[in-house]
Amino acid sequence: MDTMIGLKRSHSCVELDKGFHEQQVTLCGWVSRRRDHGGLIFVDLRDRSGIVQVVFSPDVDQDAFAKAESVRTEFVIAVQGTVMLRDVDTVNPNMSTGEIEVLGKELRILNQAKTPPFYIQDNVDVDEILRLKYRYLDLRRPEMQKNLILRHRVTKAMRDFFDRQGFIEIETPMLTKSSPEGARDYLVPSRVNPGKFYALPQSPQIFKQILMVAGMEKYFQIVRCFRDEDLRADRQPEFTQLDIEMSFVEREDILQMMENMVAYLFKEAAGVEITSPMLRLTYDQAMDRYGSDKPDLRFGMEFVDLTDTLRGCGFKVFDSVLDAGGKIKAINVKGYASIPRRELDGLVNYVSTYGAKGLAWICYTPEGIKSPITKFFSEDVIARVTATAGAVEGDLLLIIADQSAVVANALGQLRLEMGRRLNLIDPDKLSFLWVVDFPMFEYDPEDKRWVAMHHPFTSPRDEDIQYLGSEPGRIKAKAYDMILNGTEIGGGSIRIYQRELQEKVFTAIGLTPEEAYDKFGYLLDAFEYGTPPHGGIAFGLDRLVMLMAKRASIRDVIAFPKTQSAADVMSQAPSEVTPKQLRELSIRSEVIVKKTEV
């Protein structure tokens, strides 16, 4: 390794093109690949911008050629040389710098590197845990750097947009009061207040509402949030959201501004035009037609409601479901009547994992209708089913009969599965919609009480406030979610801003006045000092960038994510702490005590 660094960089690799012909440049980066062709050594030099080919010849400089013989993959080097045009037959159309190369005249090895545990290239086939353990190497891959650059562009566009709209970015606390009315909090012990704990924020919700009380009127923040919950491909214990709140607005004001914001983000950060206005569905419409409050509308296959069509049909299975207040719905899989019986049996097993007790099917083949259930139907019933479903020759009708929630979940998942199997989902299509008018509450059978579907600060519709004390299940909220390709990317609501109404909502979810004040007293007190009407929304930045980058996991757009066990395999967090640290925090760990005893 050269002891003197030297060779100050003059350009990035991808800056170079034919316009630099015969100019002297100094480049710095990593050796992506080295090829020894006997009399010449070719080095693909990589920096964040991309790759350029450097050629070393003993006829140009013996010392540089000798050093080039010793470099290996991922060595960090500095190169001084002259930009030259490649011969026509050696032009590489797959590289942005493929028309030129740099004739190396001086080379300095700035640092050596061990052989990486995997190739530093795109589409590398390696276990994700290994990638996360060596994240500093994984992040050298061009596709990962592209993802993080996209994330940077998105956050910059967010700040630019809201600044132009008169918003101000305000930081809210990271150490807050625990209020376990949703996911589990991450708790932080207080050394100076023994036995007491802070909580890391699941959301800045209460603070941004208090900022509206404070007269800030237009607030936004790109903020870290924390939830101690089970992980999925689109969840992390710590995540980033774009948080927004506005005073003196109604739902339409927020929805319109957010559509404009999303269109601006996609155009500025990804060069994609978004059409407006976005489709809107009520929660009830979305559940009725797709079985989901975040439907993927890149393909059709809407539910067909056969409940009334099959009422009194004489088939005992269907009759018993309808007598119990259930539903019968189907999807029409166009042109798939030739499905193999083995695959049909597999679909029965598939829907059973989502609670369905069975799956009925009707194939409209050239030879006629094939189905194990049509023998129980009259010709008139079959004709009505066919007409209701819009079925024609070649179609496959898949039917589920059960309670409404089971039908929605199982048939909704089956719709998505058939969309995948038939390649109906266009990966390049962007399908946005708003889902509005969510239920205010949902019943928790485990706790035997009503809980807020979104959060307890969401305002009920004015016409539904009368049901707060009697029929919570009837109440619709002034809540709204933005959906992209079957994923919720943002959610918000018009907020409660009057103490009396907020206290009624706390009562509806089973909090006594004393419990409500203990948890949220500072918000209730603030409401007594002239709180303006206000509302807002929060967007999941990780999910949004994941979809923009066309990745399957948010871990691909986060620099240092956790695994599905909430662990950082690179830094080995979480880790044990010393007994001294615990004593300073007035904490006694049963786990550590047991280990010590052993």
Side-chain angles (χ1 to χ4, degrees), residues 452-524:
M453 178 170 275
H454 279 70
H455 55 64
F457 314 108
T458 297
S459 177
R461 293 190 308 189
D462 297 344
E463 61 269 31
D464 293 341
I465 292 176
Q466 60 182 310
Y467 302 118
L468 266 174
S470 56
E471 299 177 80
R474 289 187 59 172
I475 301 175
K476 298 294 186 183
K478 295 180 181 179
Y480 35 81
D481 284 357
M482 183 183 284
I483 312 300
L484 171 57
N485 294 353
T487 297
E488 176 204 334
I489 59 172
S493 65
I494 299 299
R495 321 299 189 192
I496 297 169
Y497 65 99
Q498 297 159 319
R499 177 167 183 158
E500 181 182 4
L501 179 56
Q502 186 65 77
E503 288 177 330
K504 287 181 179 179
V505 170
F506 286 151
T507 299
I509 60 174
L511 295 180
T512 66
E514 294 75 21
E515 290 172 330
Y517 194 81
D518 179 61
K519 294 175 185 292
F520 308 110
Y522 58 106
L523 177 66
L524 295 172

Side-chain angles (χ1 to χ4, degrees), residues 287-288 291-292 303 305 307 321-322 324-329 354 400-412:
M287 295 301 294
D288 185 56
S292 171
F303 288 4
D305 193 339
T307 302
V321 166
L322 297 180
K327 294 279 187 179
I328 304 175
K329 292 188 177 183
Y354 297 100
I400 294 180
D402 216 307
Q403 294 305 301
S404 295
V406 174
V407 172
N409 187 32
L411 196 58

Side-chain angles (χ1 to χ4, degrees), residues 6-53:
L7 294 186
K8 181 177 175 60
R9 172 192 273 176
S10 65
H11 298 82
S12 66
C13 291
V14 174
E15 280 185 77
L16 306 181
D17 57 23
K18 293 189 296 183
F20 286 84
H21 180 51
E22 294 188 342
Q23 290 188 30
Q24 183 168 292
V25 296
T26 302
L27 307 175
C28 298
W30 289 261
V31 175
S32 181
R33 190 167 60 142
R34 172 188 169 278
R35 304 180 302 284
D36 191 338
H37 288 194
L40 296 174
I41 293 176
F42 295 88
V43 171
D44 287 346
L45 182 65
R46 184 190 71 245
D47 64 12
R48 195 183 73 187
S49 70
I51 293 176
V52 69
Q53 179 173 280

Side-chain angles (χ1 to χ4, degrees), residues 255-366:
L255 268 55
Q256 184 59 60
M257 183 173 287
M258 293 308 105
E259 289 189 22
N260 294 341
M261 185 270 294
V262 168
Y264 182 80
L265 291 186
F266 273 80
K267 184 175 181 179
E268 291 296 311
V272 176
E273 297 282 348
I274 302 298
T275 58
S276 192
M278 295 178 183
L279 174 69
R280 295 186 191 180
L281 294 176
T282 67
Y283 172 87
D284 289 341
Q285 287 172 332
M287 295 301 294
D288 185 56
R289 292 162 58 179
Y290 303 100
S292 171
D293 59 3
K294 44 182 180 295
D296 190 339
L297 301 189
R298 287 176 291 178
F299 68 106
M301 211 182 293
E302 288 188 28
F303 288 4
V304 178
D305 193 339
L306 298 175
T307 302
D308 292 335
T309 303
L310 289 171
R311 193 177 300 279
C313 65
F315 182 34
K316 290 184 179 179
V317 174
F318 287 174
D319 288 344
S320 62
V321 166
L322 297 180
D323 289 343
K327 294 279 187 179
I328 304 175
K329 292 188 177 183
I331 54 174
N332 185 351
V333 187
K334 306 297 290 184
Y336 205 48
S338 59
I339 181 174
R341 180 56 188 262
R342 181 180 65 257
E343 188 175 345
L344 274 173
D345 293 340
L347 293 179
V348 175
N349 294 330
Y350 181 82
V351 297
S352 70
T353 63
Y354 297 100
K357 300 180 183 67
L359 175 69
W361 49 269
I362 302 174
C363 293
Y364 291 84
T365 72

